[in-house]
Structures are given as structure tokens and as C-alpha cells.
């Protein structure tokens, strides 16, 4: 009887250890492994402006109380060989926050507001060429005692894209903040329920006509959904095999940039959200439509300027190629739950 009890206890202890090991080690998702590919090593760089003086001790203590409690920010990347196959896992580790907080020495006496903005863009550009240390969790916080045209001090957060996407990082950063009126509560975000686009189509005088119209719309929507899905799948296969984008100044070579450590320039512009909303209301569209249209117009003007420079140098009016194939990826958040999550 005692032997059975001991075996049972040993089984429970062994199961507990296995669960702890599973919690300490997590395999990388397919998307995370893609972000660690040599030709697609991608980072998320966020620049936050502050209106008060930076207090490093307060920021370090705040990171200890919030950020490193997240499993991805307290885990390092480990590469193992299992049956001649490389396995990548997240392994929990003890985080020394001071090793992740960088305070560069900046001579602010000779830097004015205009030069400070250029210095900040150059500083962020240099971060794109310096890989993160894989012996510790893949994130850094840079505290810049630099007065720009928009802020008194600047904080730069650099996170490897395998830790999460933009929406998850925004939710995480907001979850680390609290209300100034009540330090124990999370900040509240406005939430608006969008009305259904098909609810107004049924408001007709004839009920039979409404049902017939609803049935036609459902069949048409289902047919277009299947057709668009098939076309997108065929286009994706063709793009993978032979249908490549046109060689333009926009199309870059990531392998060449990584092999030569070519410097990438980061430039940003601040636009007014009220202006975007004004265009949205005038054109009866969404904010995403306006931002996408502005981006398309900017890329178009950039191509015209670049090909115009080549045209002047070669004095050939036919230098601009026709039928340029240029595609971009637009990332959309499809999570059903919006706002800040406490856990």
C-alpha cells in the first residue's frame, strides 16, 4: 500500500514538473519564425514624446512592475537542434531591467529644435542596422534627454516583431498605464458600435419585395466572396511562382541591405486627425480610406519625382515605365475584442 502511494505521489510530482516546463518553454508560432528569417528580420520602433523630465529610476521601477510580467518580455529566444531539425522556443529567464534601458550621452548644448528632430530621425535610423542581443529578451528602451519640436524628452521603444504586432503592443502599453484621476484604474477608451450596413435595405414598403431583395443580395454576396477568394488565391500562387513586382525605386532588396549593413533612413510627418476626419466626412468614407489614399498619392508623387530625375539625366521622355505592377500589404486587426485587456 505504501509503494502505491509513493508511486502516485511521484506521478503527481512528475506531472507538475512537466507542466512547469511547458509553461517555461513555448515554441515560436509560424509568424514569429518568419520574423526571425535572415531576410525578414523586423522590429517595431515606437517613439514617445514626454512633456516632463525623464526620471530613469521611475521608468525602470515601472517596467519591473508592468512590462516584464508579460511572458514574451521575460523570455529569450533559444535555438535547439532536435533530430537534425532546428527548433526555436521562448524560454523564461530572469530579466535585469537595467540591461534593457539605454541612456545615451547627448550633447544638447549644440542641438537646437530643428537639429534635434534630425538627430532623432538619425538615431532611430541607426537602430534599424543594429540587431538585438538574443542572449536576453528581445526589447530595449532608449531614454533620450533631447528636446524636440514636439516634446521635452523622448523615449524610444524597440521590440522585435516576433513578440507581437502593432495592436497587441498598443494594448500592452496602454495596459501599463493608469488614470491620473485614479491610479488604480485602467484608462478608458471610447467605443462606438457600428450599425449594420444591410439593415436599411430592408425598410421597404413591400415585405415580399424586401425578402426577395434580401435573398438576391445574399446570393450575390456569396458569389462575389467565392469569386474574389479564388482570384486572390490564384494571384497569390502566380506571385509566388512568376508574377513579380516591377523593379522600381520603392522595391528594396533586404538581403543586400542586411549583407552590406546599408543605412535606412526613417522619416516621419505629423498630420492632424481633425483634417483626416474632415476629408472623411466630405468624401463619405472611413479614416483608413483617407490614410490609404494619402499613402498612395505620396508613393505616386515619389515615383514621378524619381523617374523625372532619371528622365532629365538621360533626356529620354520614354524612361518612365508603363504598367507598373506595385503592390503593398495592409495589415488589418480582426480581433473581435477591442480596447484594453487587463490580462
Amino acid at each position: 500500500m505504501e509503494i502505491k502511494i509513493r508511486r502516485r505521489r511521484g506521478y503527481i510530482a512528475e506531472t507538475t514538473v512537466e507542466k512547469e516546463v511547458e509553461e517555461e518553454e513555448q515554441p515560436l508560432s509560424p509568424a514569429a519564425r518568419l520574423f526571425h528569417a535572415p531576410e525578414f528580420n523586423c522590429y517595431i520602433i515606437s517613439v514617445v514624446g514626454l512633456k516632463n523630465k525623464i526620471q530613469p529610476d521611475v521608468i525602470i521601477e515601472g517596467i519591473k512592475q508592468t512590462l516584464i510580467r508579460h511572458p514574451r518580455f521575460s523570455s529569450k529566444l533559444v535555438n535547439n537542434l532536435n533530430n537534425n531539425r532546428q527548433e526555436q522556443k521562448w524560454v523564461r529567464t530572469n530579466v535585469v531591467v537595467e540591461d534593457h534601458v539605454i541612456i545615451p550621452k547627448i550633447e544638447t548644448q549644440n542641438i537646437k529644435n530643428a537639429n534635434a528632430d534630425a538627430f532623432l530621425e538619425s538615431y532611430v535610423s541607426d537602430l534599424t542596422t543594429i540587431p538585438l542581443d538574443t542572449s536576453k529578451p528581445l526589447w530595449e528602451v532608449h531614454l533620450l534627454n533631447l528636446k524636440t519640436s514636439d516634446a521635452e524628452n523622448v523615449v524610444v521603444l524597440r521590440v522585435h516583431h516576433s513578440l507581437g504586432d502593432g495592436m497587441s503592443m498598443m494594448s500592452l502599453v496602454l495596459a501599463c498605464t493608469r488614470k491620473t484621476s485614479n491610479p488604480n484604474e485602467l484608462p478608458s477608451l471610447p467605443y462606438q458600435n457600428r450599425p449594420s450596413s444591410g439593415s436599411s435595405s430592408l425598410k421597404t414598403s413591400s415585405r415580399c419585395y424586401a425578402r426577395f431583395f434580401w435573398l438576391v443580395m445574399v446570393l450575390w454576396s456569396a458569389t462575389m466572396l467565392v469569386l474574389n477568394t479564388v482570384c486572390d488565391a490564384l494571384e497569390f500562387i502566380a506571385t509566388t511562382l512568376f508574377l513579380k513586382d516591377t523593379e522600381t525605386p520603392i522595391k528594396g532588396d533586404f538581403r543586400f541591405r542586411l549583407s552590406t549593413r546599408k543605412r535606412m533612413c526613417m522619416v516621419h510627418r505629423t498630420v492632424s486627425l481633425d483634417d483626416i476626419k474632415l476629408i472623411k466626412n466630405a468624401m463619405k468614407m472611413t479614416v483608413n480610406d483617407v490614410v490609404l489614399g494619402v499613402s498612395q498619392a505620396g508613393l505616386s508623387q515619389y515615383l514621378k519625382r524619381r523617374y523625372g530625375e532619371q528622365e532629365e539625366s538621360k533626356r529620354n521622355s520614354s524612361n518612365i515605365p508603363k504598367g507598373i505592377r506595385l503592390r503593398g500589404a495592409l495589415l488589418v486587426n480582426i480581433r473581435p475584442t477591442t480596447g484594453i485587456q487587463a490580462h
Side-chain angles (χ1 to χ4, degrees):
M1 187 66 180
E2 293 180 358
I3 296 177
K4 291 183 180 180
I5 293 176
R6 288 177 181 175
R7 287 181 178 177
R8 186 65 177 176
R9 289 177 179 176
Y11 172 75
I12 294 174
E14 184 178 357
T15 304
T16 304
V17 172
E18 290 179 355
K19 288 183 178 179
E20 291 179 354
V21 172
E22 290 178 358
E23 292 178 356
E24 295 293 330
E25 297 183 0
Q26 292 291 335
L28 268 70
S29 63
R33 292 197 299 267
L34 177 63
F35 283 125
H36 279 282
E39 64 275 8
F40 197 60
N41 199 12
C42 191
Y43 301 96
I44 298 176
I45 299 179
S46 303
V47 180
V48 181
L50 304 178
K51 65 179 181 179
N52 298 324
K53 186 177 180 180
I54 292 179
Q55 299 180 7
D57 297 337
V58 176
I59 294 179
I60 291 174
E61 185 63 27
I63 293 175
K64 291 180 180 180
Q65 298 296 329
T66 56
L67 202 61
I68 64 172
R69 293 184 178 181
H70 194 280
R72 289 294 175 267
F73 283 81
S74 59
S75 301
K76 64 180 181 179
L77 178 66
V78 176
N79 296 319
N80 295 327
L81 290 176
N82 188 7
N83 296 328
N84 295 328
R85 183 179 179 182
Q86 185 178 10
E87 292 184 355
Q88 295 178 316
K89 294 182 179 180
W90 296 115
V91 179
R92 296 292 292 270
T93 183
N94 294 325
V95 182
V96 181
V97 179
E98 289 77 7
D99 295 340
H100 294 264
V101 178
I102 301 174
I103 307 176
K105 295 182 179 180
I106 303 175
E107 296 181 358
T108 58
Q109 297 178 356
N110 300 327
I111 299 178
K112 297 181 180 180
N113 289 341
N115 296 331
D117 296 339
F119 177 85
L120 178 60
E121 292 180 353
S122 177
Y123 187 88
V124 176
S125 300
D126 292 337
L127 290 180
T128 62
T129 62
I130 304 174
L132 288 170
D133 186 5
T134 56
S135 63
K136 57 185 181 181
L138 302 177
W139 60 273
E140 290 178 348
V141 177
H142 297 253
L143 306 180
L144 278 65
N145 185 14
L146 182 68
K147 183 178 180 180
T148 63
S149 59
D150 299 324
E152 294 292 330
N153 291 276
V154 177
V155 176
V156 179
L157 175 64
R158 183 166 71 133
V159 181
H160 200 278
H161 213 316
S162 60
L163 271 65
D165 56 5
M167 293 300 299
S168 61
M169 292 300 168
M170 290 172 60
S171 299
L172 179 62
V173 171
L174 289 174
C176 294
T177 61
R178 294 296 183 268
K179 290 183 177 181
T180 55
S181 58
N182 189 353
N184 296 324
E185 290 186 5
L186 290 170
S188 58
L189 296 179
Y191 178 76
Q192 182 179 2
N193 291 323
R194 296 183 178 179
S196 177
S197 59
S199 60
S200 61
S201 61
L202 298 180
K203 295 180 180 180
T204 58
S205 58
S206 176
R207 183 174 298 179
C208 295
Y209 175 76
R211 291 180 178 177
F212 175 77
F213 182 74
W214 177 82
L215 180 61
V216 171
M217 291 298 296
V218 169
L219 294 176
W220 175 257
S221 300
T223 303
M224 293 303 298
L225 177 63
V226 174
L227 181 61
N228 291 331
T229 303
V230 173
C231 293
D232 291 341
L234 294 176
E235 186 178 3
F236 177 78
I237 295 174
T239 301
T240 305
L241 297 178
F242 60 89
L243 192 62
K244 304 299 181 180
D245 287 353
T246 307
E247 295 291 339
T248 62
I250 296 178
K251 184 179 180 181
D253 191 348
F254 290 99
R255 295 182 180 180
F256 173 77
R257 183 177 67 85
L258 291 175
S259 61
T260 59
R261 292 299 178 190
K262 187 177 180 180
R263 189 172 180 271
M264 178 183 293
C265 182
M266 305 290 294
V267 181
H268 77 281
R269 291 294 181 269
T270 302
V271 296
S272 174
L273 185 59
D274 294 334
D275 295 339
I276 295 178
K277 290 182 178 180
L278 180 62
I279 301 174
K280 173 186 75 74
N281 297 330
M283 301 296 294
K284 296 181 180 180
M285 55 179 59
T286 63
V287 172
N288 290 337
D289 295 334
V290 177
V291 175
L292 198 60
V294 171
S295 302
Q296 180 185 4
L299 293 176
S300 177
Q301 293 296 325
Y302 176 76
L303 284 177
K304 289 182 179 179
R305 186 181 65 183
R306 290 295 300 271
Y307 283 118
E309 295 174 354
Q310 297 177 7
E311 179 183 349
E312 292 179 359
S313 61
K314 296 183 179 181
R315 295 181 180 180
N316 185 6
S317 59
S318 62
N319 188 50
I320 301 178
K322 297 181 180 180
I324 294 178
R325 184 184 299 109
L326 180 63
R327 287 167 291 183
L330 178 63
L331 304 181
V332 181
N333 180 31
I334 58 174
R335 294 179 178 87
T337 304
T338 59
I340 302 174
Q341 305 300 317
H343 302 288

